[in-house]
Amino acid sequence: MSNNTFGLVARFDSPAAVMHAAEEVRDAGYKHWDVITPFPIHGMDAAMGLRRSLVPRFTLVGGITGFTLGMLGIWYMNAFDYPLAVGGKPMFSPMFAFPVSYELTILLSAFGTIGGMFILNRLPMHYHPVLKYDKIERVTDDEFLIVVEARDPKFTPDGARKLFQKLGAKEISDLEN
Amino acid sequence: MSQAHSQSSGAPILHGAGVLREVEPAVLPRPKLVENDRSFAWITDKVMGIIEGPTPRWWWWSMAVAVFVASFTVMGLAYLVSTGTGTWGLANPVNWGWAIVNFVFWIGIGHAGTLISAILCLLRQKWRTSVNRAAEAMTIFAVVCAGLFPVFHTGRVWFALYPGFLFPFPNSNGIWPNFHSPLEWDVFAISTYGTVSALFWYVGLLPDLATARDRFFVAGRMMRAKIYGFFAMGWRGSNRHWSNYEMAYLLLAGLSTPLVLSVHTIVSFDFAVSLVPGWHTTIFPPYFVAGAIFSGFGMVLTLMLPLRSIYRMNDLITQYHIDCMCKITLATGTMVGYAYAMEFFIAWYSANPFEGFAFINRAFGHYAWAYWTMISCNVITPQLFWFRKVRENTALVWVLSIFVNVGMWFERFVITVTSLARDFLPSSWGYYSPTVVDIFTYFGTFGVFSVLFLLFVRFVPLMAVAEIKAVTPQADAHAGHGHGEAHH
């Protein structure tokens, strides 16, 4: 094990196997580790001990911004900066400003949601050690990985390897930075 | 408890419930979403094979035809811009003609894509996974076709994009757009709809682009690996990512649901907020939304059935999928039929002579031919989907889906033109006919749509591979462990 080691990676061939293994790795007390799967596995968040995603907060901020922007913007444009008298209607009313504000709420919520997802996931990240794994094309197809990172305080090469062997990993290998 | 053995089940059992205990509710077999128990790798190979294999000959022929048809739109629009909007058939009193009919038609088509991707996601309808990618692509391309009409009806089209005309920038006199107008609401509804649909589609694509990247890399096709890799943004399938991704996907579904309902609602406001008889009705928003979903499912069937047979996708788009889509078409078509009847009823019940005349005129006036085309395509055609024999006859379903498309175009034509051609003042009554420029421009949009859709079929994974895998039985990590979470 050199300093160039990112961690130890184990390959599994079924969702049930990787789920069971993830529960064990979680219980072994590792912090810097991950499960790599070709599709989202139902229940894996609990098996990894992940907290609820923070994406909704970004959504909320986006939505509030959108609605405020719509209402204030329309008030500014049609009632303040250049009052526009049309059909005897009031210069400003939340009624006629609602449809546009509603759409802007949704638009900015969507921006918040997607932006939040990319920020929380640290994407785009075109370089990552996991992508150098020699069978990565299987992992975006039908196989499953567990990666334990070398920077984890509990990480020892032998300890992690033994754990993976006990969990029935199909293949165990080092992953370089 | 007289029956000691019943206590062993752990549940308290009432006296005299012995019969009920023996009667088990029938367990209906769950339809398989992927037939023949295909493996994960089979699904990947099947869908990715389309973009990895050589370009099929039919694709080139279809592309040639599509480009030829699309050139009609290019010609129509070039002639319009160089000559003026007088080349369209609009004349008093019909100042809304083909442009808005075609706009509403195309926007409506898009709605099925969002229904499948968003509403069916919230309702946990797992069958959506094999059709949602293509249906969302259809949505985006339909919005592109729809958008051509409002943009080009301005004539000098650069002014539409120029600050102040559609989007809120003050014009040269410092006047901002008029937000009292439903037409301005529509600008926001349509642009939000297009943007959010495209983003939703792209987010759904990320995992499949990563799969494509890795497969092209292994196959040594580096140019493609780089292009798909660029768009995959370094997706690596990390479960920490999936956790945020699934939350974002759910939220986008939750946002798209009110969005799609609002879009056609606001489109219907273009009509309903006016005072024209036949337009000024409160039934318009729900009736437009139902009609939009109806027409959209017609188009989904029109597109997916040929693709299913060309690419032999019968294991992924099963008879169950076709049944579901036919039934939604039936349900929304029936709602549309109900709305037609209700419009007539209210026209009579309101005791408003103008309203009454507008509807009698629709059914028996100069445009009766359009009205009865609409009724036969939209009300009668979908009723055939009650019959299993019809739903199982793929060729017949395809033909019926074309009728749905035709009928829904005529619905917009009937609504727009009949009310305007016979307005309040008999001296100004007229008869609207499209010009050759109108017809070319509209005909060509089918080519524009087809060009975009063919490019999609060739270069983008046609189905959401990761999502399909996630709904197969073997993806269930709890299977056989008795966690009780296997089914929802």
Side-chain angles (χ1 to χ4, degrees):
Chain A
M1 284 272 169
S2 64
N3 285 339
N4 201 26
T5 303
F6 175 76
L8 197 68
V9 57
R11 193 151 57 94
F12 297 87
D13 58 4
S14 80
V18 75
M19 176 89 104
H20 172 67
E23 286 165 349
E24 297 291 327
V25 174
R26 173 196 66 195
D27 294 342
Y30 288 100
K31 292 279 173 278
H32 296 286
W33 65 288
D34 207 347
V35 180
I36 311 286
T37 61
F39 54 85
I41 298 178
H42 187 71
M44 185 56 90
D45 290 358
M48 280 183 75
L50 294 186
R51 288 187 309 161
R52 189 183 149 87
S53 165
L54 295 178
V55 170
R57 299 186 185 186
F58 291 83
T59 311
L60 182 68
V61 172
I64 291 173
T65 313
F67 191 77
T68 317
L69 188 74
M71 284 290 173
L72 284 181
I74 291 171
W75 167 80
Y76 174 81
M77 285 185 269
N78 280 180
F80 183 77
D81 186 54
Y82 195 117
L84 205 58
V86 178
K89 294 168 193 162
M91 301 296 179
F92 179 78
S93 152
M95 292 300 146
F96 76 73
F98 188 80
V100 168
S101 306
Y102 179 93
E103 299 300 334
L104 287 175
T105 308
I106 291 176
L107 182 66
L108 271 73
S109 301
F111 286 158
T113 307
I114 292 167
M117 190 269 281
F118 280 119
I119 291 168
L120 291 171
N121 286 348
R122 310 275 191 283
L123 292 178
M125 187 191 285
H126 287 287
Y127 176 81
H128 192 276
V130 166
L131 295 177
K132 283 207 301 187
Y133 181 66
D134 61 349
K135 292 193 182 64
I136 187 69
E137 85 281 359
R138 292 300 299 273
V139 184
T140 48
D141 181 4
D142 63 347
E143 296 208 329
F144 309 85
L145 297 185
I146 292 187
V147 186
V148 177
E149 294 178 29
R151 66 186 165 117
D152 191 291
K154 282 200 63 142
F155 180 85
T156 56
D158 291 343
R161 189 175 291 272
K162 280 211 180 88
L163 178 65
F164 283 153
Q165 277 165 353
K166 195 183 81 180
L167 296 172
K170 205 171 140 189
E171 187 188 63
I172 302 171
S173 50
D174 292 326
L175 204 57
E176 292 193 340
N177 257 324
Chain B
M1 285 285 175
S2 58
Q3 294 159 302
H5 67 271
S6 68
Q7 286 180 333
S8 62
S9 68
I13 293 185
L14 296 173
H15 288 286
V19 175
L20 278 181
R21 202 173 63 244
E22 285 163 27
V23 178
E24 293 264 319
V27 180
L28 294 174
R30 276 182 173 265
K32 281 184 183 170
L33 297 172
V34 177
E35 277 184 0
N36 296 326
D37 294 322
R38 299 297 191 179
S39 67
F40 295 141
W42 185 88
I43 298 171
T44 317
D45 287 341
K46 186 78 192 170
V47 179
M48 292 298 165
I50 297 173
I51 59 173
E52 288 167 352
T55 310
R57 183 165 295 174
W58 69 264
W59 190 90
W60 284 114
W61 283 112
S62 311
M63 195 54 154
V65 173
V67 168
F68 175 70
V69 175
S71 70
F72 280 71
T73 289
V74 177
M75 284 190 289
L77 294 179
Y79 188 66
L80 171 87
V81 171
S82 58
T83 314
T85 40
T87 57
W88 281 359
L90 301 173
N92 255 345
V94 184
N95 284 312
W96 273 15
W98 271 45
I100 189 129
V101 172
N102 301 334
F103 161 75
V104 180
F105 170 78
W106 276 116
I107 281 290
I109 296 286
H111 278 50
T114 322
L115 181 101
I116 291 172
S117 61
I119 300 183
L120 296 186
C121 175
L122 295 185
L123 297 177
R124 295 177 188 256
Q125 293 294 306
K126 291 180 178 174
W127 59 272
R128 63 183 274 286
T129 50
S130 37
V131 282
N132 72 337
R133 172 74 43 76
E136 287 174 47
M138 176 194 81
T139 297
I140 297 165
F141 305 149
V143 172
V144 169
C145 292
L148 287 175
F149 293 97
V151 168
F152 276 89
H153 93 292
T154 58
R156 283 180 282 178
V157 65
W158 47 98
F159 282 113
L161 309 170
Y162 200 69
F165 199 94
L166 295 175
F167 287 95
F169 292 98
N171 68 13
S172 52
N173 293 328
I175 309 176
W176 297 90
N178 170 22
F179 283 92
H180 301 76
S181 164
L183 295 175
E184 184 65 20
W185 306 344
D186 220 4
V187 173
F188 280 83
I190 302 303
S191 43
T192 300
Y193 185 50
T195 312
V196 173
S197 302
L199 287 174
F200 197 10
W201 189 62
Y202 179 61
V203 167
L205 265 170
L206 279 179
D208 294 353
L209 292 174
T211 304
R213 169 198 66 200
D214 295 341
R215 288 171 68 94
F216 279 124
F217 183 82
V218 170
R221 296 164 75 178
M222 299 315 287
M223 188 67 192
R224 289 193 170 216
K226 281 197 173 121
I227 294 172
Y228 285 96
F230 174 79
F231 287 107
M233 292 206 176
W235 183 264
R236 59 181 186 274
S238 153
N239 192 62
R240 293 176 191 274
H241 289 182
W242 281 118
S243 174
N244 291 322
Y245 175 92
E246 288 222 282
M247 179 60 85
Y249 200 86
L250 181 67
L251 284 166
L252 284 175
L255 289 166
S256 299
T257 299
L259 175 64
V260 69
L261 299 179
S262 79
V263 170
H264 233 56
T265 299
I266 292 179
V267 168
S268 82
F269 284 168
D270 291 348
F271 299 90
V273 173
S274 76
L275 291 173
V276 177
W279 292 4
H280 185 63
T281 57
T282 48
I283 201 176
F284 260 32
Y287 152 41
F288 267 53
V289 172
I293 292 166
F294 176 61
S295 69
F297 269 91
M299 190 60 105
V300 172
L301 287 167
T302 310
L303 294 171
M304 292 311 280
L305 294 179
L307 285 178
R308 173 185 191 246
S309 107
I310 289 169
Y311 287 118
R312 302 187 200 294
M313 289 281 192
N314 298 25
D315 287 342
L316 294 174
I317 304 175
T318 65
Q319 181 59 41
Y320 173 64
H321 290 90
I322 298 175
D323 274 357
C324 287
M325 292 191 273
C326 287
K327 286 173 187 170
I328 293 182
T329 312
L330 169 61
T332 48
T334 310
M335 286 181 212
V336 168
Y338 169 80
Y340 294 158
M342 191 47 71
E343 280 188 314
F344 260 85
F345 171 74
I346 293 293
W348 167 75
Y349 189 69
S350 68
N352 178 334
F354 292 103
E355 194 76 14
F357 171 76
F359 282 92
I360 298 292
N361 178 50
R362 266 187 199 176
F364 305 106
H366 287 92
Y367 291 103
W369 58 275
Y371 183 83
W372 293 107
T373 310
M374 167 188 97
I375 292 285
S376 25
C377 290
N378 290 355
V379 183
I380 300 168
T381 305
Q383 298 307 319
L384 292 171
F385 289 140
W386 284 106
F387 305 103
R388 176 181 296 192
K389 280 268 184 295
V390 173
R391 297 197 303 267
E392 284 176 355
N393 184 339
T394 318
L396 182 58
V397 170
W398 189 77
V399 172
L400 294 177
S401 76
I402 301 275
F403 278 114
V404 170
N405 291 320
V406 172
M408 283 309 291
W409 186 87
F410 272 99
E411 179 197 294
R412 280 62 176 252
F413 180 82
V414 165
I415 291 173
T416 309
V417 174
T418 58
S419 284
L420 288 175
R422 292 285 180 276
D423 67 354
F424 302 99
L425 202 61
S427 63
S428 60
W429 286 0
Y431 189 86
Y432 169 81
S433 303
T435 62
V436 172
V437 183
D438 277 316
I439 295 170
F440 271 27
T441 310
Y442 172 60
F443 174 65
T445 52
F446 288 96
V448 175
F449 180 87
S450 308
V451 167
L452 293 169
F453 200 80
L454 285 166
L455 289 173
F456 157 73
V457 168
R458 185 71 193 90
F459 294 109
V460 179
L462 182 61
M463 293 182 184
V465 179
E467 287 185 50
I468 295 180
K469 286 177 194 165
V471 299
T472 55
Q474 67 265 34
D476 185 0
H478 294 292
H481 285 249
H483 286 238
E485 277 224 306
H487 301 288
H488 297 283

